Amino acid sequence: MNYNKIAGQRLSRIEAISDGIFAIAMTLLVLDLKIPSKEIIQSEQDVLSFFLTYKLKFISYFLGFITLGLFWVAQNTQLHFIKTSNRVYSWLNILFLSLISLIPFTTGFLSEHFILKSSFLIYWINLLLPGICLHISFKYACKNNLTRDEFLPNFQNIKIAYVNRIRNAQLLYLFGSLLCFIDYRLSLGFIFLVQINFAVGYFQKK
C-alpha cells in the first residue's frame, strides 16, 4: 500500500496542533511589551508618560491578538465542515500554521518600525498568505470529498460565504496597508477597525 494514501488522516491531530500554536503565538505577543524599570517609573506622571509613549506598541499588540483570533475562528469554522483529512490537507494546514507562528514577529516588527512603509508590506504579506492557505485548503477539501455529508444540501452557499469572507478581508487588509503611503496612523487605525468589525461580526446573528 502507498504510504501517501494512509498518511495524515486524523483530523483531531490538526485541531490539537492548531490550538497549541495559536496559544503560543498569542502568548508571544505580550512578550514584546516590556515592563519599565523603577528608574523610569518614579511618579504617577511617569506612568502616564510611559503609556502615551508606548501606545502604538499596545495597539500593535491588540492588532496582532485580534488577527490571531480571527484566523483561529476561520480555521475552526473550516474544520467544522471537514469529516476527514489526508496527507495533502494536513500539510496545507501545517503551512498555514507556519505562517500563523510568524505573526508575533511581523507584529513586533511593525510596532518597532511603523514609520517605514516596508513594515506594513511585511505585515500585510503575513495576513495575505494564511488567508490564501485557508482558501486553498477549503477548495481542496471540497474537491476531494473531505467535507461532511450532512452539509451537502446547503454546501454551495456555505462555500460561497466562506470564500467571500476570506476575499473581502484580504481586500480590506490590502487597502489598509496602502494607506501607510498617506499616513501610518491612518493605516494602523483602518486595519484595527477592520479587525474589530470582523471580530464583532462573528457574534452578530444574521
Side-chain angles (χ1 to χ4, degrees), residues 51-64:
F51 279 97
L52 289 175
T53 302
Y54 281 77
K55 60 182 180 295
L56 288 176
K57 276 192 171 292
F58 285 103
I59 291 173
S60 296
Y61 163 76
F62 285 110
L63 192 66

Side-chain angles (χ1 to χ4, degrees), residues 54-110:
Y54 281 77
K55 60 182 180 295
L56 288 176
K57 276 192 171 292
F58 285 103
I59 291 173
S60 296
Y61 163 76
F62 285 110
L63 192 66
F65 205 93
I66 295 172
T67 298
L68 288 169
L70 290 172
F71 276 121
W72 180 85
V73 172
Q75 187 203 34
N76 184 265
T77 301
Q78 181 178 140
L79 293 176
H80 176 66
F81 298 106
I82 307 300
K83 64 181 178 183
T84 188
S85 180
N86 62 20
R87 180 175 176 271
V88 174
Y89 187 77
S90 293
W91 276 105
L92 285 172
N93 275 274
I94 290 172
L95 177 59
F96 167 76
L97 293 172
S98 72
L99 297 166
I100 289 298
S101 65
L102 285 173
I103 288 180
F105 170 77
T106 55
T107 302
F109 189 86
L110 179 65

Side-chain angles (χ1 to χ4, degrees), residues 16-27 68 94 97-98 100-101:
I17 193 173
S18 296
D19 287 344
I21 288 178
F22 272 101
I24 292 171
M26 287 174 165
T27 302
L68 288 169
I94 290 172
L97 293 172
S98 72
I100 289 298
S101 65

Side-chain angles (χ1 to χ4, degrees), residues 21-186:
I21 288 178
F22 272 101
I24 292 171
M26 287 174 165
T27 302
L28 287 174
L29 285 171
V30 77
L31 297 180
D32 194 44
L33 301 176
K34 307 299 181 183
I35 299 175
S37 64
K38 292 182 179 179
E39 289 74 18
I40 296 176
I41 303 296
Q42 297 183 350
S43 67
E44 300 297 335
Q45 184 63 37
D46 291 337
V47 174
L48 179 60
S49 297
F50 169 77
F51 279 97
L52 289 175
T53 302
Y54 281 77
K55 60 182 180 295
L56 288 176
K57 276 192 171 292
F58 285 103
I59 291 173
S60 296
Y61 163 76
F62 285 110
L63 192 66
F65 205 93
I66 295 172
T67 298
L68 288 169
L70 290 172
F71 276 121
W72 180 85
V73 172
Q75 187 203 34
N76 184 265
T77 301
Q78 181 178 140
L79 293 176
H80 176 66
F81 298 106
I82 307 300
K83 64 181 178 183
T84 188
S85 180
N86 62 20
R87 180 175 176 271
V88 174
Y89 187 77
S90 293
W91 276 105
L92 285 172
N93 275 274
I94 290 172
L95 177 59
F96 167 76
L97 293 172
S98 72
L99 297 166
I100 289 298
S101 65
L102 285 173
I103 288 180
F105 170 77
T106 55
T107 302
F109 189 86
L110 179 65
S111 68
E112 288 289 340
H113 307 286
F114 52 82
I115 297 178
L116 301 178
K117 297 175 179 60
S118 57
S119 66
F120 283 90
L121 174 63
I122 293 170
Y123 183 73
W124 172 69
I125 290 174
N126 201 186
L127 295 179
L128 173 66
L129 294 180
I132 291 175
C133 282
L134 285 174
H135 186 277
I136 293 174
S137 62
F138 192 62
K139 289 277 191 177
Y140 177 84
C142 296
K143 185 177 179 180
N144 291 272
N145 195 33
L146 301 180
T147 54
R148 294 165 63 179
D149 296 335
E150 60 263 37
F151 295 109
L152 286 178
N154 196 38
F155 201 80
Q156 187 60 28
N157 291 333
I158 294 172
K159 182 179 177 181
I160 291 172
Y162 187 79
V163 171
N164 284 345
R165 179 78 168 195
I166 295 173
R167 291 176 178 172
N168 291 340
Q170 294 302 329
L171 288 173
L172 288 170
Y173 294 150
L174 173 60
F175 178 75
S177 298
L178 292 176
L179 288 175
C180 72
F181 288 94
I182 300 175
D183 191 298
Y184 71 87
R185 290 164 294 191
L186 185 62

